[in-house]
Amino acid sequence: MGDILQLVLKRLGLGVVTLLVISILIFFAVELLPGDIAQAVLGQAATPETVAALREKMGLDQPAILRYFQWLGGALTGDFGVSLISGERVSEAISGRFINTLFLATYAAVIAVPISIILGVIVALLRNTLFDRVANVVTLTSISSPEFFLGYILILYLAVKTNYFPAIASLSTDMSFGELLHRTFLPALTLVLVVTAHMMRMTRAAIINLLASPYIEMARLKGVPPWKVIVKHALPNAWAPIINVVALNLAYLITGVVLVEVVFVYPGVGQLLVDAVSKRDFPIVQACCLIFAATFILLNLAADVGSILTNPRLRHPK
Amino acid sequence: MVPKKDVLLEVKDLRIEGYSDEQWIEIVHGVDLTLHKGEVLGLIGESGAGKSTIGLAAMGFARDGCRISGGSIEFDGMELTTTPEGDLRALRGSRIAYVAQSAAASFNPAHRIIDQHTEAPIQYRIQKRVEAQEDAMELYHRLRLPNPDEIGFRYPHQVSGGQLQRAMTAMAMACRPDLIIFDEPTTALDVTTQIEVLAAIRDIVDQFNTAAIYITHDLAVVAQMADTIKVLLKGEEVEEAPTEQMLDAPSEDYTKSLWAVRSFKRPQKERPTEAGSIPIVSVKNVDAAYGKIKVLDDVSFDIYPGMTVAVVGESGSGKSTTARCITGLLPPTKGEIQFNGESLPPRYQDRTKDQLRQAQMIYQMADTALNPKIKISEIIGRPAQFYRGVRGAELKNRVDELLDLIELDPAKFYNRYPPELSGGQKQRVGIARALAADPSFIICDEVTSALDQLVAEGILKLLDKLQEDFNLAYMFITHDLATVRSIADEVVVMQRGKVVEQGAKDEMFTPPHHPYTDLLLSSVPEMDPNWLTTLLEERGTDSIGEAANV
């Protein structure tokens, strides 16, 4: 077990280093953007004096390196500075919306992950049958369609024509949990459709890849029924690639949902980011990017640990 | 005449087809086979003879890409070719069981050994889990596995190859089947481990009076195990006879050629005696380690020009690691490698092109050692170009010349790709690739162990001829003592990273030996059907396990 702990700590350390490198990239990429931030905030009509005054107030007259460390130091304590537009603290502007994004991602994941893995197992069992082909065509179609298109199709058929679900996923604080699930069902379903194909096909491929193994033939020659060959003998050895593709899709659910949030007017981080970019609200852009990067790194770390834990050679050393 | 009621398995005119190049091609052409209760039938032949395919067909099973296309398979009154898949499945594991070639690959790495053992008895509701586990331990006892009450609760990677092979035999016995198919169960094992497994299999088959089909390419092994031997060639029966008769008086030419295959032997060469002659390769007090694990301990030996030094030992004894040290792939932690009296840099990156050129390698698996997407002419031409700067028309001539040397027709093979070649032809290309660099020393790492005996003999003869023509020195890594006997001049015996004995071949094969050399030599199966019985009596049955751990 000591070996595993060591491996996990090593991965964690690497994750921290990666995050540090990304923070440098994010900070200086924003620095490199053309135009002056103070000028942009104040607009074309501002006098040079007011611009200079604002620059000083924002600390822009100090060297970039110094500002980077100030920013990083603040970020470590959860202080990302103040929004240039609203004057609100960035941490407050983001926190509520990040929880919304996490909620939607979890909602979609809770539906999508079990469905894709179960479907993946079934299509591996029924490989090269009609069911396999139909499942492949349907999931591939959904992954190939742009998500805003999927979103509008769902709105058309499940909201506008039938009125089953609301077309706009607006939230209020006094809703019950059931009401919340009902209102956010369409964006969640859109996300499910987008990520299912990838995970299902990976599950199928990972299992089929193992079917030529001698231990699978052995199981068949012991008279083990086909479904049990897949579930008991192939699946436990296929977890590593499956976990990795699941982690990748979970990260996508958190960081890649901008379009879906816009379509359903859902108050998540994605929308905030888009707004901030168009208004040049850099503290918010930087904070969002850093959170997204941390999410990616954390999920990949979780996938690494998961793969390690499913490997019997590492779990039960000699 | 044995009464009909004792017949367990009767196969008539069995035909099996394999799918390749978008068409079905017959690979087993009408084989008959009769097996009585408690009888052991040996199926023997080279690769491609259809042994495994026939063995699996006896379970009503055809691998993906194969189908049983004709004939009948009657098992205990049941016609398997027309039995629905569900009923066939009910037969497998319960009445007919299978023991695969590589137990390490055939046990599922994700489950404990005993859980895989009890799977069939629980599924067939023969036993409850606890009973099945107790029965498994009882079988482990009988098969003389160490710690029989505990070993099943380990995962396959925690158990050695020979033990796994016995555990797999125990698993096949779980439902006390009427018939077990043994598909080359000892081929992947060292000779010393092979004996334990052979003895265990023979005992348990006797004890439960189980009938068996024993598939192998090794005549000496089948002689110990089978009551009757059937020789197969390219999906057809050559002949069948009781074991003694088959060994003493084979009637077909093909069988005789199989029997005579070990006849190749060349006279032993002596080290040059004149003063001033230096070894071409000298391994001096080399230690090596993988991470913290020390794998070589003070290894020293010399190889003189034009001579063959065989390095023998079980798997894990450090043979291939020594080769890695010589080639510079694994820098030694202590000691040095000398070439023509000069010390070589430990890492291959620090060696000159000429130093690299002088020492070449030929690998065990020609299948994986040749890039399948590159033409033969390029595989052979590249080292000639890289080391010798040969280009253009001259390069083509050089490749033609090399193909001639390895006895492959340049006109036919120049533009072909490795997958189009047979195993022996691929190994010849591997030899030509090594020769293309004009080396003076070649490391041959188990070059014949993946080949059939007749093909292997051809490769050995070719290597011998090339040695004469170019005064090559060979380091011949092998675990097969018959190969050593036929081509070595000197022998180095390794055990657990140490050289335990070395000297001229004829001396090594004459007693007295180092106890480990003795164990290795006496463990090589002989054609005498009573060899195993005699050997076990000599060693004392209970000491087999310990003997292998000397």
Side-chain angles (χ1 to χ4, degrees), chain A residues 140-158:
Chain A
L140 272 182
T141 309
S142 72
I143 202 177
S144 316
S145 321
E147 55 229 75
F148 63 84
F149 175 72
L150 279 179
Y152 285 128
I153 294 275
L154 290 181
I155 288 176
L156 179 64
Y157 284 100
L158 296 179

Side-chain angles (χ1 to χ4, degrees), chain B residues 239 249-261:
Chain B
E239 61 177 315
S251 54
E252 296 294 319
D253 287 345
Y254 174 71
T255 319
K256 285 176 192 160
S257 78
L258 277 180
W259 267 226
V261 74

Side-chain angles (χ1 to χ4, degrees), chain B residues 400-429:
Chain B
D400 285 353
E401 189 192 343
L402 286 162
L403 283 170
D404 273 330
L405 279 176
I406 55 166
E407 293 151 21
L408 294 181
D409 181 7
K412 268 172 69 187
F413 288 93
Y414 193 87
N415 281 323
R416 293 176 75 178
Y417 290 89
E420 302 166 31
L421 271 56
S422 73
Q425 288 168 341
K426 281 184 217 168
Q427 197 53 284
R428 282 167 190 263
V429 172

Side-chain angles (χ1 to χ4, degrees), chain B residues 267-282:
Chain B
Q268 176 183 319
K269 278 180 275 187
E270 301 297 333
R271 285 188 183 191
T273 43
E274 335 59 279
S277 55
I278 46 168
I280 185 151
V281 172
S282 185

Side-chain angles (χ1 to χ4, degrees), chain A residues 6 127 211-229 231-238 310-318, chain B residues 56 59 61-64 89-90 92-94 96-100 102 104-111 115-117 119-120 123-124 155 157-159 168 171:
Chain A
Q6 213 179 347
R127 61 196 172 282
L211 291 184
S213 314
Y215 59 81
I216 296 295
E217 182 174 282
M218 190 71 222
R220 291 166 71 189
L221 290 173
K222 276 198 297 189
V224 178
W227 67 267
K228 214 171 157 193
V229 168
V231 174
K232 196 175 159 202
H233 288 273
L235 191 59
N237 293 292
T310 56
N311 184 340
R313 280 168 197 278
L314 288 167
R315 219 171 23 176
H316 309 277
K318 281 195 180 186
Chain B
L56 289 171
M59 308 180 75
F61 184 88
R63 288 199 166 120
D64 290 339
R89 204 186 307 130
R92 294 181 194 139
S94 64
I96 313 178
Y98 181 76
V99 174
S102 167
S106 296
F107 269 113
N108 192 327
H111 301 295
D115 295 332
Q116 304 188 46
H117 182 115
E119 192 172 9
Q123 177 180 313
Y124 292 117
Y155 284 81
H157 69 270
Q158 296 170 315
V159 176
M168 175 159 284
M171 182 162 85

Side-chain angles (χ1 to χ4, degrees), chain B residues 479-494:
Chain B
H479 66 269
D480 181 12
L481 292 162
T483 310
V484 175
R485 225 181 270 256
S486 58
I487 82 160
D489 301 309
E490 291 181 10
V491 183
V492 174
V493 182
M494 291 188 72

